Amino acid sequence: MNNNSKFLKEETLDPQNWDELKELGQSMVNDMINFLQTIREQPVWRKPPQAAKESFDKELPRSPQRFDEVYEEFRENILPYYLGNIHPRFWSWVMGTGSAQGMLAEMLAAALNCNVGIGDQAPMYVDKQVIDWCKQMMGFPAESSGALVSGASVANLNALIVARNSVNDKIRKWGLPEKMKLVMYASTETHSCIQKAAEIMGIGSEGVRKVNVNDKFEMDVVHLEKLIENDRAEGNLPFCVVANAGTVNTGAIDPLDKIFWICSKQDLWMHVDGAFGALLKLLPEYHEQLQWIEYADSVAFDLHKWMYMPYEAGVVLVRDANKHRASFALQPEYIVNNERGIAAGPELTSNFGFDLSRGFKALKVWMLLKENGIDKFKRLIRQNLEQAKFLEERIRASHELELMAPVDTSIVCFRYFKNGLGIKELNELNKEILIHLHETGIAAPSYTKLNGNYCLRAAIVNHRSRQEDFEVLVNAVISSGNELSKKYSLRNTKKEKAA
Ligand SMILES: *Cc1c(COP(=O)(O)O)cnc(C)c1O
């Protein structure tokens, strides 16, 4: 120790050489824009090789490494082994594509590194602006409330907590009374996050009544009413119906009008899970089906799916802001707003959700909505719908392919079909086809099971897809199906492919 030195040698994380960092930063930006510009030429997916995986199985670093070297490791071991959802021929699960402009917006937000939870800071007003725009998109009243959260799972949870707490204003203090058996209703096609939310909220998975669906996978409201009646007869306390605006399996839209009337009559909270499908409300051709979102008590949807925004961006809207606040506001002395200074400004965002510290998600949404205007998003959503119709037609026209569910939105479920193969073989074969498409990097649909049948499933929420990409998909499924089916011996059955 050098006792002569009066000060400690102070350190910082700032670079020693800012000019060098600027140069590196510029090449990173250029590399990433080039990467997105040429993504079509890349395979949809590459399996991460052993060496790449091993590079993430190291001891906690002790000594420093140059930042440009770490970036080189990123280019070598991370960049090529992306999930694929940025690619024009990725239609797995329901995943958004993001955009180059979105990437830059994220960079700006990262530079400010602000906590959009409190403060008289412009980002708080941007956050509010974006929530207001979301209300306008969904036809929610200006005095309703909302929050930007990580995704629709959390947005659904947020809304359902408000629904639950609205049953009884003592729940927040005392938890659920032992005698109170709260039950909610959702169709069998509902996303798993609803069950998880019920488990977290003390409703329990058994408290989610599974309502049957019709042959178009839409909620059977006659069954809904029967279940409610049974519950009331048994002394249970129905409190909420979750309606789907676009189910994850097939894109089905529940009969929102009928669900709204049942909720009004039965005094139940109507929540809409519109993770991707709620955005169809922007299109006049869905007005009839989706105008009912305007009357729901709450709605959850994602901007990172069918608004093509970078992850993460989910939205929850609650009609009655007071109920929303009554579920989440809790302000210890150290976070009440002041009248002036940094701690003045808009209402704390934590009054409307569980997050206290929050990043500046709103910036990308604000920038991209301004850059494109809402009409551009409408056109892109419609483009995806037309692509789904095109794919549907190609499937219907093909002898080797079979459509497995109606195409209500932009999810297309289908399979390769061959006379003489039983259900077990068809399931196995279609799974093989899917994996083949992934491993060759040609295209990335995903899969689901409908009525026991393994289906290939294309969820088209991709602004980079072109019509020709669906030709590639169809041809690849047929040719790999023809090839892979050779190993099965055909039975002499006469079953014809359905519809
Ligand atoms: C994707 C999806 C969710 C979950 O959304 P996340 O953003 O992944 O949390 C919920 N419901 C439906 C219908 C979905 O498609």
Side-chain angles (χ1 to χ4, degrees), residues 149-170:
V149 293
S150 55
S153 301
V154 172
N156 280 311
L157 173 63
N158 181 306
L160 293 173
I161 287 171
V162 183
R164 182 200 63 180
N165 291 3
S166 300
V167 172
N168 184 318
D169 58 11
K170 301 206 169 50

Side-chain angles (χ1 to χ4, degrees), residues 186-192 210-213 216-218 244 246-252 254 448-450:
S187 89
T188 51
E189 289 294 299
T190 302
H191 192 274
S192 57
K210 297 220 156 73
V211 188
N212 292 341
V213 291
K216 287 155 78 190
F217 302 99
E218 304 156 348
N244 287 300
T247 59
V248 62
N249 259 344
T250 68
D254 287 335
T448 189
K449 260 196 175 170
L450 295 174

